[in-house]
Amino acid sequence: MKKQIIITVILLIATIAVTVYYFANLNPPGFQNNQVVQAIPENAPFIIEFNNDKSFYDIFKEDNLFAVLAGKQTLDDLAAVQKQILLNPLTEQYFTGQNVFISLHPVDHNEVGLLVTLAPIKGFESSAFTNLANQAQAGIGISSFNLGKRLIYNINVKAINKTFYLTINENNIISGSFSKQLVELVATRKTKGYKPSFTIPSDQQAANSLAYLYINYSQLNPLFVQLFKNKTDDILENFRHTSGYATLSFNYRSDAMLFNGLSKIESTQQQGYLSIFNHQKTVDNHLKDILPSSTAYCTSFGVSDPKLFEADLTEYQNQKGLKAERDQLFLKIKSETGIKLKTEFSNLLGNEFAILTTKYFEKFAIVAVKNGNKLKTLLSGMSKMSSENAGSVEYEKLPYFLLGDAFGSFRHINFMVIDNYLIIAGSNTELKSFNELYLNRKFLSKNEKYTQFDNLLAEKSNVSFLCNFKNLLPILKRDLYDNLYARIEQDEKAYNNFYGISYQFSASDQNFYSNFCLKINKDSSSVKVDTVGKRLGDR
């Protein structure tokens, strides 16, 4: 009996030892992807992940979508690298089926660089690159140099006469770019203790999507600083001045790039405005129906409970140290006019408000209200009226304190009340312009291409950004660095292939379900719905 017990114990110990050894040598789901993302510098606002599989490339082989997105030259350059390294018979076995990560990074001279990062399968050695160069009729030439403890390869891709720089880290993760500065950053940065904040999908989840887009919101503003000489530019302003991460899965259409998934926004004193809206339920988007036909870009907000929004906004402003200034302003208005503006405005606030810029550089705010006549009566008691429906308010920063950060550009209120909308502009001339287009129904929504675009978007959201590329051109000409805008002018035909972009946040469990849509100017059939009969993102 004792002998049997001893044998049983020995077998049990052996089984445990084998099991521990086996699993110690396996990478748990997503482990390798985490290592790859860890190797990517933290200053990447965008990372796209896809599988280096023939079926992925076959989907786009006869489609010009990627060429339009990345630019033909960029794609040709990356295709040359792919052919000479990833698909070369000597190395193909190490890269086929592996996930490829392409990230965007600011570099010197108002430029951005693309970084390609991936992990080859076990058995790959760096000597494989030297073997590539030693082939008969090799398409590449290789030299190398040491940077600290890391070796950097200079790979001359003969077909395009460009140098592709490449380095390999201690985990055998390969990073490469046409930007030498970017690869040197990879080679010298310290990754010990760094854990990516992105939610990396498990292998099972990744198998259900063609690609993933990762967004680091805190790095959007440094990217815009790199691209725009006009530092007051407010494109995507509220997204740029927030902190958080998104993991979005790719949905393929031949006429659009669609991504959706979860965004986790961090709430801090300085970067918490968008987090106010994740306490709300999603609302139907109606203000988009009255956007001027000249709209270049617009950010709209939706709140299911206006009074809760005002309470959360007040607390947010208190945390930012604005309580004294705000309270002093409203006390001044009360003492001079007898109007309790904050309370009265909160009672009249509707479910949507938006701020937009037109191609003529006009800036408008549109606020939906419950009763336009009551709002006119309220504002006329504290304004210098220029007509029955329009006037100006001299108290500074009212839109900012009533509606939050997005409206900080309006220091004074030049306003007009049309139906149940409060329109705010920078001048009376702009107000007259809006009134004319409103009366004549000159709206973006009257355009058939816009309708096709809108059919791809979620009908409900809490925060929504959209831009029309054609109308955006004058803004970019003014605000982009000259060398960057020159590229648009050189290839304006390719730029005109874009129709617009939308990015929507819908509150979901204290975070945001997010929908990204980039629409291509291409004839498309009616929108297909998913298996439950809803557009992607409808809630």
Side-chain angles (χ1 to χ4, degrees):
M1 184 67 179
K2 289 182 178 179
K3 184 177 180 181
Q4 289 177 331
I5 294 174
I6 292 171
I7 291 173
T8 301
V9 170
I10 292 173
L11 288 174
L12 180 61
I13 293 172
T15 301
I16 293 172
V18 170
T19 302
V20 169
Y21 176 81
Y22 175 74
F23 283 103
N25 285 275
L26 282 180
N27 288 337
F31 176 78
Q32 192 176 58
N33 283 352
N34 273 287
Q35 283 191 323
V36 175
V37 174
Q38 187 179 26
I40 298 172
E42 299 91 320
N43 66 347
F46 301 107
I47 304 172
I48 188 166
E49 172 197 0
F50 60 90
N51 191 267
N52 185 44
D53 183 82
K54 185 176 182 296
S55 61
F56 178 83
Y57 299 104
D58 285 346
I59 292 173
F60 302 100
K61 185 168 59 176
E62 302 301 329
D63 198 297
N64 70 347
L65 177 61
F66 274 12
V68 172
L69 290 174
K72 186 177 184 303
Q73 187 61 57
T74 300
L75 273 191
D76 287 347
D77 292 348
L78 290 175
V81 172
Q82 179 200 26
K83 179 181 178 180
Q84 296 298 331
I85 299 177
L86 299 185
L87 298 181
N88 191 291
L90 291 180
T91 55
E92 183 178 9
Q93 60 179 313
Y94 300 111
F95 301 119
T96 299
Q98 296 299 96
N99 290 341
V100 179
F101 293 76
I102 298 180
S103 50
L104 186 72
H105 302 263
V107 293
D108 286 343
H109 309 300
N110 311 121
E111 295 283 355
V112 293
L114 292 178
L115 180 71
V116 180
T117 310
L118 75 163
I121 65 172
K122 290 182 178 180
F124 173 83
E125 295 182 1
S126 59
S127 59
F129 293 129
T130 305
N131 295 336
L132 290 179
N134 291 335
Q135 293 179 105
Q137 298 180 336
I140 61 174
I142 294 183
S143 61
S144 63
F145 66 94
N146 288 300
L147 184 64
K149 297 180 179 180
R150 191 74 63 83
L151 190 66
I152 294 180
Y153 295 91
N154 303 325
I155 302 177
N156 177 33
V157 184
K158 297 177 183 178
I160 55 176
N161 194 28
K162 290 185 178 180
T163 300
F164 189 76
Y165 302 93
L166 190 147
T167 189
I168 306 174
N169 73 6
E170 62 278 4
N171 294 317
N172 218 28
I173 306 298
I174 298 173
S175 302
S177 176
F178 289 105
S179 168
K180 182 179 180 182
Q181 175 193 346
L182 192 49
V183 173
E184 288 181 346
L185 172 63
V186 173
T188 56
R189 66 187 282 267
K190 296 179 180 179
T191 59
K192 187 177 181 179
Y194 167 63
K195 293 182 179 180
S197 297
F198 299 108
T199 301
I200 307 299
S202 67
D203 292 343
Q204 184 177 3
Q205 290 173 314
N208 296 323
S209 179
L210 284 170
Y212 281 93
L213 175 67
Y214 304 98
I215 303 174
N216 182 348
Y217 292 104
S218 66
Q219 294 302 319
L220 289 177
N221 199 55
L223 175 66
F224 273 71
V225 169
Q226 187 83 350
L227 302 177
F228 287 81
K229 62 185 177 184
N230 181 2
K231 303 310 179 188
T232 61
D233 186 274
D234 61 352
I235 299 174
L236 282 170
E237 180 177 21
N238 299 109
F239 295 93
R240 286 158 45 189
H241 292 96
T242 193
S243 181
Y245 301 87
T247 300
L248 311 179
S249 61
F250 175 49
N251 297 277
Y252 174 71
R253 282 181 61 105
S254 61
D255 63 338
M257 189 74 107
L258 302 171
F259 287 90
N260 58 76
L262 196 66
S263 289
K264 297 183 177 181
I265 302 301
E266 299 173 357
S267 179
T268 67
Q269 287 187 355
Q270 298 302 319
Q271 298 179 316
Y273 180 64
L274 291 188
S275 66
I276 295 173
F277 297 90
N278 65 17
H279 300 156
Q280 302 284 331
K281 296 178 181 179
T282 57
V283 301
D284 291 323
N285 299 322
H286 295 301
L287 287 187
K288 63 184 181 180
D289 296 332
I290 63 166
L291 296 180
S293 59
S294 57
T295 299
Y297 57 93
C298 170
T299 305
S300 58
F301 304 87
V303 293
S304 57
D305 187 338
K307 290 193 174 182
L308 174 62
F309 164 74
E310 290 290 351
D312 287 344
L313 177 63
T314 297
E315 178 59 27
Y316 165 68
Q317 291 174 344
N318 290 348
Q319 291 176 0
K320 290 183 70 174
L322 298 169
K323 184 180 188 301
E325 182 183 1
R326 181 197 62 226
D327 291 351
Q328 184 178 359
L329 174 62
F330 289 123
L331 281 173
K332 182 180 180 181
I333 294 172
K334 175 67 169 60
S335 65
E336 293 179 356
T337 67
I339 297 173
K340 296 180 179 179
L341 182 62
K342 196 170 189 307
T343 301
E344 296 295 333
F345 185 82
S346 178
N347 291 335
L348 290 171
L349 182 62
N351 299 112
E352 290 183 274
F353 40 94
I355 183 167
L356 66 96
T357 299
T358 73
K359 66 179 181 180
Y360 304 115
F361 310 107
E362 302 163 312
K363 192 173 293 294
F364 299 107
I366 307 175
V367 183
V369 295
K370 296 172 183 175
N371 189 312
N373 289 327
K374 286 186 177 180
L375 182 67
K376 277 190 289 186
T377 301
L378 176 69
L379 293 178
S380 63
M382 53 181 291
S383 307
K384 181 179 180 181
M385 301 297 289
S386 57
S387 70
E388 182 183 354
N389 298 324
S392 60
V393 180
E394 294 303 316
Y395 298 104
E396 289 194 356
K397 299 175 71 172
L398 272 181
Y400 175 72
F401 285 122
L402 290 172
L403 295 170
D405 294 8
F407 299 83
S409 60
F410 294 102
R411 295 193 66 83
H412 299 281
I413 292 183
N414 293 287
F415 73 90
M416 176 180 291
V417 179
I418 310 176
D419 296 331
N420 287 328
Y421 300 112
L422 168 64
I423 312 300
I424 302 172
S427 68
N428 287 326
T429 301
E430 291 178 347
L431 285 177
K432 290 177 182 178
S433 172
F434 190 95
N435 187 50
E436 179 183 345
L437 70 88
Y438 184 86
L439 294 176
N440 292 293
R441 295 297 189 259
K442 295 180 180 179
F443 301 137
L444 202 61
S445 57
K446 299 297 183 181
N447 183 282
E448 183 181 351
K449 288 184 177 180
Y450 174 82
T451 301
Q452 294 176 0
F453 175 56
D454 184 57
N455 284 340
L456 297 172
L457 310 183
E459 294 179 349
K460 294 184 177 183
S461 66
N462 295 102
V463 184
S464 182
F465 171 84
L466 69 83
C467 81
N468 176 286
F469 282 108
K470 183 178 180 181
N471 291 339
L472 188 64
L473 269 175
I475 310 293
L476 296 181
K477 184 175 183 178
R478 181 193 67 178
D479 294 349
L480 277 177
Y481 279 105
D482 295 341
N483 62 312
L484 298 175
Y485 186 76
R487 295 179 192 172
I488 294 176
E489 287 187 313
Q490 290 167 6
D491 199 6
E492 191 168 338
K493 183 179 179 181
Y495 180 89
N496 287 335
N497 285 329
F498 295 104
Y499 175 78
I501 278 181
S502 171
Y503 195 46
Q504 297 173 287
F505 273 4
S506 300
S508 175
D509 296 328
Q510 302 300 305
N511 292 301
F512 290 106
Y513 190 80
S514 308
N515 289 287
F516 172 87
C517 173
L518 189 153
K519 180 71 172 66
I520 307 300
N521 274 325
K522 180 178 179 180
D523 291 335
S524 61
S525 57
S526 58
V527 175
K528 295 179 181 179
V529 295
D530 63 16
T531 54
V532 294
K534 296 180 181 179
R535 295 190 190 96
L536 289 171
D538 284 3
R539 302 185 67 75

